[in-house]
Amino acid sequence: MKKRWKSGIAGAALLLAVSFSASAFAAEEGAAAAFGDIAASSSKAQIESLQERGIVKGITEAEFGPELSMTNAQAISLIVRTTQISLAAIDFKKAPTADGYYTKVRNEAWYAEDFIIAHYNGLDIPADFDPRAPITKEQFVHYLVQAVEKTGEYPMVKMLIVTQDEEDITATYQGTINRALLYQIVSLDEEQNFNPQHVLTRAEGAAILHRTLQFIEAHQAQEQQPEQPEQLDQ
């Protein structure tokens, strides 16, 4: 077992069928009614909360597809929506296009703008990232933490943490995964495993996003509290 320093505070692994992918991508852009297929999901409350805020949408108007694998395109779009990162502070002489940075993202795709936003906000998405491929837990958490840290300044400490499956975590993702654990956006399982190569389901992704939103909003609320005047000894 290896130990490492962490910085921070307190489905199948196959591509979705082309027919499903096309409908899922299209549905992401439309408004969703109450989902009829999440009653048995442990993430039902989180999915409904995110739906009410316009963050998650369904694969159809009435279906969320909780146990379906989350695609790279869905993941990046949801991360952008949750953290509300944008291009507002960037002055472009020429409007950017997705194919200027990614080889597999079409400019007309519903998720193209989200990929551009992610790029300009420092998410290190590789140029050959396949939007149709399923996303792993470690990839999702890595990009999510990069986006979260664009939303504010979060206190940092050093802390020694041990995970049982450290050798399965991609080296370049270890830092962001460490911080996600300490932010309590994600947690280890009972055996102290992170399960980095697990292909994330849509329900699992929604649960992580809900915790992320709570983390961001709690920090922002704390930042907005007025400073208490210093009490002088009488």
Side-chain angles (χ1 to χ4, degrees), residues 54 94 97 99 133 145 153 158 181 192 206 211:
K94 181 180 178 182
T97 58
D99 63 5
V145 169
E153 295 291 332
K158 284 191 174 182
L181 289 166
Q192 300 302 299
R211 288 193 294 272

Side-chain angles (χ1 to χ4, degrees), residues 57 75-76 95 103 106 161 183 213 223:
K57 296 179 174 64
I76 297 304
T103 60
R106 295 176 291 108
I161 295 179
Y183 292 155
L213 197 57
E223 288 289 302

